[in-house]
């Protein structure tokens, strides 16, 4: 991809920093989208929701809802030229509408912040597993058996036990969570150019390289046909299940980093000559491909090892290491795998923190580094609380009804964001861009014309609000539809 050249400084009046190139913008946006959502949450949700029906509905949501909303969010940012909330206010003002519409971005910002809390916990597990595999690589090197499987001589139960053991070891879990949060804070404190952009431009290409390698490896050693069957064959009954639909919608938004103020913020850093429609298409394609391919990489290994797909949050951690045991060069592949997941998680977590930091920087004209540390610390504390969910001694239920019934703090935060805050924010964005914002202003920003433009208009004004609204209501209150 060619570098479009820097336009930093071309518009001295703009209040926000700028990406140094279109490449940097795409890498940062893709880096924010591709993360634990694709590698950990997608397989987990797919397993829990029974496979095919969920996947099909997820793809439906990406194309018909995610893509139009993604374009809407980036265009609000570029038209508003500020942090997410301020951008939405600016566009509302220019359109003669109430600045209260910025509530859409505010809900999203809270969502992004809450995602960060539990995201960092899972990313902490990833760091821990990278450590486990570093140990394993060094012991297989010293025993001269590097071409063999991982965890030589360990029985399967002991491998399955690595995660529960980590859960019981609260100090270790919190230390890893702290380490990950510290790295995230460090990057965000350095700013858009010095931190976020650098991480994205270096880590994302490395991620894709590793991802390609692991996928080829998995497809050539695992039970691919069962995985394909699980991912794509579905029964119609489940497709109509409002709970499955809400999970799929939430996953589509989560994975594309929508409804979380993020893409508005990143859009505001985009230069005038970036075609937002094309860029949105690229981001959505890259993100969705990674999710589907991750499913194709993970489930074959899971099935080949005779394990269950319903592991949920633990799927990635409990099942994969077992599988690496029976694979050639298992310890090295395992290490590369978790390093890759770490890269993907970091490029997302910096964006999650940036959502609130960039708001506070413009709102209070305060010091970026201090804000990064402040917000990061609060997120760390809430995340630590959530991490006790995995520690069997504590069963804390915050709200014990509806979709939150018997959900521990961790699952509560996950559901609150994925199934409530992100859809609500996306709904407000869709109504705002479809009905409230000045048509001319919107059309100047979106870089589309002709039929695609008309289709997008229809989707954002009619289909998105309707579908998100209906799924939200039926998913949250299934008793309505019986
Ligand atoms: N898309 C990220 C992932 O798949 C998670 C995410 C959701 C996110 N909302 C975000 C990341 C906002 C950055 C900013 O892992």
């Amino acid at each position: 991809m060619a570098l479009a050249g820097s336009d930093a400084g071309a518009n001295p009046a703009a209040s926000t920093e700028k990406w140094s190139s279109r490449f940097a913008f795409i890498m940062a946006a893709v880096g924010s989208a591709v993360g634990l959502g694709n590698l950990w949450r997608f397989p987990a949700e797919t397993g829990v929701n029974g496979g095919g029906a969920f996947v099909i509905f997820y793809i439906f949501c990406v194309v018909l809802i995610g893509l139009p909303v993604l374009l809407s969010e980036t265009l609000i940012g570029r038209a508003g030229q500020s942090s997410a909330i301020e951008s939405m206010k600016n566009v509302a003002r220019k359109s003669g509408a109430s600045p209260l519409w910025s509530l859409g971005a505010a809900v999203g910002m809270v969502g992004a912040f809450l995602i960060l809390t539990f995201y960092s916990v899972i990313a902490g597990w990833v760091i821990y597993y990278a450590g486990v595999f570093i140990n394993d690589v060094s012991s297989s090197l010293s025993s001269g058996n590097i071409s063999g499987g991982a965890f030589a001589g360990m029985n399967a139960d002991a491998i399955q036990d690595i995660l529960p053991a980590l859960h019981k070891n609260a100090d270790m879990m919190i230390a890893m969570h702290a380490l990950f949060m510290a790295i995230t804070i460090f990057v965000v404190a350095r700013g858009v150019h010095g931190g976020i952009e650098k991480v994205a431009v270096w880590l994302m290409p490395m991620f894709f390289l590793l991802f390609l390698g692991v996928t080829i490896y998995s497809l050539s050693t695992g039970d691919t046909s069962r995985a394909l069957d699980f991912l794509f064959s579905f029964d119609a009954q489940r497709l109509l299940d409002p709970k499955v639909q809400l999970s799929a919608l939430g996953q589509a938004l989560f994975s594309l980093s929508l409804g979380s103020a993020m893409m508005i913020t990143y859009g505001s850093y985009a230069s005038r000559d970036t075609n937002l429609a094309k860029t949105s298409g690229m981001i959505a394609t890259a993100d969705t491909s990674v999710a589907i391919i991750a499913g194709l990489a993970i489930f074959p290994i899971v099935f080949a090892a005779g394990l269950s797909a319903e592991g949920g949050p633990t799927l990635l951690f409990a099942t994969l290491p077992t599988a690496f045991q029976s694979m050639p060069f298992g310890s090295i592949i395992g290490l590369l795998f978790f390093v890759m997941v770490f890269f993907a998680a970091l490029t997302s977590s910096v964006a999650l923190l940036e959502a609130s930091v960039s708001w506070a920087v413009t709102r209070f004209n305060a010091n970026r580094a201090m804000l990064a540390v402040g917000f990061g610390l609060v997120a760390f504390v809430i995340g630590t609380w959530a991490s006790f969910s995995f520690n069997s001694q504590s069963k804390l239920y915050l709200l014990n009804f509806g979709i939150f019934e018997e959900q521990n703090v961790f699952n509560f935060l996950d559901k609150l964001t994925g199934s409530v805050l992100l859809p609500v924010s996306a709904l407000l964005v869709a109504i705002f861009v479809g009905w409230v914002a000045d048509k001319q202003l919107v059309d100047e920003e979106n870089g589309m014309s002709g039929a695609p433009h008309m289709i997008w208009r229809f989707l954002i004004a009619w289909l998105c609000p309707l579908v998100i609204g209906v799924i939200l209501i039926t998913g949250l209150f299934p008793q309505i539809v019986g």
Side-chain angles (χ1 to χ4, degrees), residues 218-229 296 299-305 327:
S218 160
L219 291 180
S220 60
T221 45
D223 189 343
T224 310
S225 68
R226 246 192 91 191
L228 278 172
D229 198 48
L296 285 175
F299 285 112
I301 301 181
V302 171
F303 291 136
M327 297 189 157

Side-chain angles (χ1 to χ4, degrees), residues 32-38 115 119 254-257 260 262 348 351-352:
S32 126
V34 173
L36 294 177
N38 310 61
I115 291 174
Y119 208 86
F254 186 98
S255 191
L256 290 170
S257 305
S260 39
M262 190 58 235
S348 299
L352 286 165

Side-chain angles (χ1 to χ4, degrees), residues 76-124:
I76 291 174
R78 197 172 60 186
Q81 281 304 307
S82 190
S83 70
I85 297 179
E86 299 298 319
S87 289
M88 220 166 160
K89 265 190 203 156
N90 289 344
V91 175
R93 276 198 207 99
K94 285 189 209 171
S95 313
S98 158
L100 272 182
W101 280 101
S102 63
L103 211 66
V107 171
M109 195 181 81
V110 174
F113 182 76
L114 290 179
I115 291 174
L116 177 63
T117 63
F118 64 85
Y119 208 86
S120 171
V121 174
I122 304 292

Side-chain angles (χ1 to χ4, degrees), residues 68 75 430 432-443 446 448 451-465:
L75 80 78
F432 180 70
V433 170
W435 298 96
V436 179
D438 184 64
K439 281 219 163 44
Q440 206 179 339
L441 185 147
V442 167
D443 291 349
N446 67 17
M448 286 199 300
H453 184 224
M454 277 164 60
I455 295 172
W456 175 74
R457 268 259 162 237
F458 167 75
L459 293 176
I460 201 67
W462 294 97
L463 193 98
C464 292

Side-chain angles (χ1 to χ4, degrees), residues 17 54 107 126 174 207 215 224 267 291 377:
E17 300 187 62
F54 173 84
V107 171
V126 172
I174 295 169
F207 166 83
T215 306
T224 310
L377 274 180

Side-chain angles (χ1 to χ4, degrees), residues 312-460:
T314 60
L315 186 62
L316 187 66
F317 299 93
T319 42
L320 274 185
T322 318
F324 286 130
Q325 186 179 39
S326 50
M327 297 189 157
F329 295 99
S331 24
I332 291 187
I333 299 286
L335 175 59
L336 290 179
F337 181 85
F338 283 100
V339 168
M340 164 189 110
V341 180
F342 169 74
F343 285 173
L346 184 63
T347 54
S348 299
S349 67
V350 297
L352 286 165
L353 182 55
E354 175 69 7
S356 35
V357 167
S358 66
W359 165 74
V361 166
T362 36
R363 182 75 176 72
F364 306 113
N365 208 359
N367 178 278
R368 167 177 275 275
M370 258 169 51
L371 289 169
V373 172
F375 281 112
L377 274 180
V378 177
F380 167 74
V381 171
I382 301 177
T384 301
W385 183 38
S387 74
F388 292 139
S389 305
F390 297 101
N391 198 305
S392 52
Q393 298 124 17
S394 49
K395 281 245 177 300
L396 313 154
Y397 301 140
L398 276 180
L399 297 175
N400 198 4
F401 62 87
I403 58 165
F404 301 125
E405 198 167 322
E406 306 217 339
Q407 303 288 345
N408 56 35
V409 178
F410 182 92
N411 290 339
F412 169 77
L413 288 170
D414 182 85
K415 286 219 180 310
L416 175 65
T417 50
S419 296
V420 183
L421 298 179
L422 306 194
V424 167
S425 168
L427 178 64
L428 291 173
V429 164
I431 298 175
F432 180 70
V433 170
W435 298 96
V436 179
D438 184 64
K439 281 219 163 44
Q440 206 179 339
L441 185 147
V442 167
D443 291 349
E444 267 164 31
E445 286 294 343
N446 67 17
M448 286 199 300
S449 56
H453 184 224
M454 277 164 60
I455 295 172
W456 175 74
R457 268 259 162 237
F458 167 75
L459 293 176
I460 201 67

